[in-house]
Amino acid sequence: MQKWICTACDYIYDPAVGDEDGGIAPGTAFEDIPEDWVCPVCGVDKEFFKIYEG
C-alpha cells in the first residue's frame, strides 16, 4: 500500500502502521480513512497529504 506525506509537517502516514491514536487500524489504506481525520502531528486536514515518493 502507498504511503502518504503531510505537506505541512512531513509526517508520513504508513498504511501498514495506521494511526492508533486517531482510531485508524493498521492495514487501512489512506483512501479509506474518514474525511474528518487530521494529521496526528500538526492537525491539518487530509487534503494536505500527497503520495510519498521517498
Side-chain angles (χ1 to χ4, degrees):
M1 278 189 270
Q2 183 67 54
K3 293 180 183 179
W4 290 72
I5 188 167
C6 177
T7 59
C9 73
D10 293 333
Y11 165 80
I12 297 173
Y13 174 75
D14 183 349
V17 176
D19 174 21
E20 282 192 47
D21 292 339
I24 309 300
T28 303
F30 188 79
E31 295 83 354
D32 296 332
I33 296 173
E35 289 303 314
D36 63 349
W37 177 82
V38 295
C39 176
V41 174
C42 70
V44 298
D45 294 334
K46 195 175 163 184
E47 67 187 37
F48 287 89
F49 280 74
K50 66 178 185 177
I51 293 174
Y52 178 66
E53 298 179 9

